Amino acid sequence: MTNVTYTERAANFNNKTARKLFEIIEHKKTNLALALDVSTKQEFLDIADKVGPYICCLKTHIDILIDFDNDLIEQLKKLQIKHDFLIFEDRKFADIGNTVKNQYSQGIYRIAEWADIINAHCLPGEGIINGLKEIGLSLNRGLLLLAEMSSKGNLITRDYTNSTIEMALNHKDFVIGFIASRKIPINNNIQNDFIFMTPGVGLSNKEDGLGQQYRTPREVITESKSDIIIVGRGIYGSGKDVITEAKRYRDAGWNAYLERLK
Ligand code: S5P
């Protein structure tokens, strides 16, 4: 089943963050997530405010910012309320359960306090999910697992992807989906119980010279049946107006979804 609407999908989830994400997608008619990998607070907040109306989710790499402070988080939360998007900290946790638990809740970033969604590699084993869950579940947060990557030569194999899915099935209360290049089929249409978010999306470039590989929104949403496109430099990296570029990706992503529904 590929012609299920976002609203119908929301009903498959008990996790509040997952339901909220689908609600925002349907309400704002956008399956675009912005990967806002800029290095100053001013640029970050400026772009987030401009692009906020056109996205369902803002993905951060909070440790890229050279002038991070608690005020940045306060401002970001205000923008979240103003524009209605979820915040996804792309921390890619990859350590033992006890360590990731501390990385998630402690340190200067205190990610658990403001990020609706986080992600993790399953390489260390299921303890990583248990550790993050001890912090995130009671806060109604959601975890995405990296089932595939967009970069050339990455070491993820089909077996690794399958094992990642197995782990997700054991934690459906907290694992809300995957970072993957496509909607990965799972027995009995269980894939509809997970959100698939796909990075490596670009309308102009095919690669970035450092291993990133780009596909179009149509390839990702219509053909590969993913739910959400994650776009970074395609929006803020060309020197063009970020609002114009965000609308271009929003429209491309939404039209690709409508085409799939037909
Ligand atoms: O496999 C991946 C997983 C992720 S989360 N490939 C990726 O590119 N990402 C992230 O998506 C990456 O860390 C970056 O923040 C974003 C892609 O950015 P862009 O500028 O290449 O669109």
Side-chain angles (χ1 to χ4, degrees), residues 20-63:
K20 176 90 183 143
L21 184 54
F22 280 118
E23 278 165 27
I24 293 173
I25 292 174
E26 197 76 60
H27 171 67
K28 292 175 76 176
K29 301 211 178 318
T30 177
N31 51 25
L32 171 64
L34 172 67
L36 192 42
D37 301 341
V38 294
S39 56
T40 68
K41 178 177 163 183
Q42 194 187 343
E43 201 181 357
F44 180 92
L45 293 172
D46 178 54
I47 297 175
D49 195 18
K50 285 181 176 151
V51 174
Y54 313 105
I55 57 174
C56 60
C57 180
L58 181 81
K59 189 176 82 59
T60 57
H61 278 300
I62 209 68
D63 57 354

Side-chain angles (χ1 to χ4, degrees), residues 35 37 59 61 90 92 146 148-150 179 199 212 214 230-233:
D37 301 341
K59 189 176 82 59
H61 278 300
D90 184 5
K92 294 189 183 70
L146 282 118
E148 293 177 336
M149 289 198 75
S150 63
I179 297 290
Q212 176 68 299
Y214 291 112
I230 299 175
V231 183
R233 287 164 289 178

